[in-house]
Amino acid sequence: MILISHKGNLHGPQLHRENTQYYIESALEAGYHVLIDIWYVDGKLYIGNEKPCECISSTFLTRNKDKLILRARNIQTV
């Protein structure tokens, strides 16, 4: 069975923590796969729901590629 965290949440919504690298890493360490929202803006990758909020590295994505489910939030990301 695969357990999937939505934006890093494990116990209900935590709007101020969702789609942050620290929160996502916590869910990954707990053994979950994580669905995250990805933005590509001006040559940089960001996570965030309604808008790009936290810049992340491509290394973070590749390091966790087997456990992340990416949702492209703008056409540039696709």
Side-chain angles (χ1 to χ4, degrees), residues 38-41 45-46 70-78:
I38 296 290
W39 299 78
Y40 185 75
V41 178
L45 291 167
Y46 294 87
L70 308 179
R71 178 168 48 186
R73 298 298 285 181
N74 62 351
I75 194 66
Q76 294 82 359
T77 307
V78 176

Side-chain angles (χ1 to χ4, degrees), residues 4-30:
I4 300 172
S5 163
H6 185 245
K7 303 177 189 177
N9 291 313
L10 300 181
H11 305 287
Q14 299 288 321
L15 299 178
H16 61 285
R17 293 181 175 174
E18 293 177 353
N19 276 320
T20 62
Q21 187 170 334
Y22 175 79
Y23 200 49
I24 292 163
E25 286 174 340
S26 295
L28 292 169
E29 289 171 9

